[in-house]
Amino acid sequence: MAIVFALGAERALAAHNALLHISPWLSLLVAPAGFAAMSWLSRRFFRGTQGSGIPQAIAASHSDDPGVRVRFLSLRIAFAKIALTLGGLLCGASIGREGPSVQVGAAVMHSLADRRLGRIASSHNLIVAGAAAGLAAAFNTPLAGIMFAIEEMCRDHAFRANSTTLTAVIFAGLMSLSMLGNYTYFGRTLTALGWPGALWPTLACGVVGGFLGGAFCRLLIASSRGLPGRLGHFALDRPVAFAALCGLGTALVGLATGGLTSGTGYAESKAALEGIAPLPGYFFAAKMLVIWLAFASGIPGGLFAPALAVGAGVGAVLSHFLPAGPVAPLLVLGMVAFLSAMTQAPITSFVIVMEMTANHELLMPLMATSLIAHGISRSVSPLPLYDALAAAMLRRATAEAFSVPALRDDRQPLPGQ
């Protein structure tokens, strides 16, 4: 399902680009309408699909109540998550499919617990295994899938290396290999940084990326709890109209940047890594803005791929202030710094970036940058992003299960949006 999801995402992005080729001004109509439609569908019919999908998987793994788990993980939600995320990509939202793939994988594996196939594994282990397999298949990064299971899905309790998780990740990797071939997400970046020349790039990317990623993490957590002032009241009272407004803002930013900020950011990052099209200095800030607009609107969609694009933009800016040299390593270090700071999962972040670029020469700088960024981020945002969103979702789902009237009001903000 994750591989079919990936192929569908490519076609959705291609269709959006085809619309922009007809006329870039079409985005002013398509984006608001698309954001509104995805918001209405997710709120009206598929309540568990909003946002990234990783908080839902974490929340379900932390609950022992089958009624709460089914609110986040079911085959119905999995298929809806795929369809609504593809709809968001079609209308130009700055979202990714990797977080949704985690929820899809967790939902598929969790569904096995309800089948009369004997006791394959505990529900918790099935959820963790599915989440890891979803990430591994989405990025074609099996090691990162295992590290994600350890560092993100099992942050609050010890991870046991069980055959369920390992088998799921291995088969996800084999399926990806058989259907998509032996590819790396961003191709192969073979440039390296020698020592001690790598010291300043590592420190610069770690500190700047860590601060920006930590601040962005804090902003997303605060936004999930409600926006201030009249804008917050408008978002609560008219969420679909607010989503349309976010879509309009996304379209305007896309027009101002020549379409650079639409979609996942994968194409722009890959072109910059290959030296085909450098990223402009404003790219990282504009990309952060459209990511926030998609997040605040509550439409389904992930953060991983857009966050990597922001990191590449940070690295591109820092390359102008550091000694002359190849730019590609700085883009890679910027990616790992921002992702590590935003997710506060440093080991998963550097393993993902290392596998996506197939660059083992940068292993030590990647590790050091990721750890520095994580340390800076913790000082800016003490709460990890996905854990904070998952905790809020779990509280809401538990309260709704016990029919607490105050939390059943549809005007209440949905955690994780």
Side-chain angles (χ1 to χ4, degrees), residues 3-165:
I3 293 165
V4 170
F5 194 3
L7 296 174
E10 291 180 4
R11 282 153 180 76
L13 290 169
H16 174 73
N17 290 333
L19 284 173
L20 294 186
H21 279 302
I22 296 173
S23 173
W25 297 100
L26 280 175
S27 62
L28 295 177
L29 174 63
V30 172
F35 271 62
M38 298 308 108
S39 175
W40 182 76
L41 288 170
S42 62
R43 286 174 174 273
R44 180 68 178 83
F45 299 107
F46 308 106
R47 294 275 299 182
T49 60
Q50 296 94 343
S52 163
I54 294 176
Q56 287 93 322
I58 294 174
S61 73
H62 287 178
S63 176
D64 295 324
D65 186 341
V68 171
R69 281 179 169 174
V70 78
R71 291 170 179 266
F72 303 127
L73 303 178
S74 69
L75 291 179
R76 177 176 177 271
I77 288 177
F79 285 111
K81 187 78 171 188
I82 292 174
L84 294 175
T85 303
L86 293 181
L89 290 172
L90 180 62
C91 67
S94 184
I95 54 177
R97 57 175 171 80
E98 294 75 23
S101 294
V102 168
Q103 186 179 10
V104 169
V108 170
M109 290 292 285
H110 178 253
S111 69
L112 298 178
D114 300 326
R115 302 292 184 263
R116 297 183 181 275
L117 301 176
R119 185 172 178 80
I120 299 174
S122 69
S123 293
H124 170 77
N125 285 346
L126 286 171
I127 292 171
V128 172
L135 186 74
F139 277 129
N140 194 32
T141 53
L143 290 179
I146 295 172
M147 291 311 307
F148 176 79
I150 296 172
E151 195 173 32
E152 196 67 74
M153 296 299 298
C154 299
R155 189 187 293 266
D156 294 332
H157 51 271
F159 171 80
R160 291 178 297 177
N162 57 76
S163 60
T164 307
T165 301

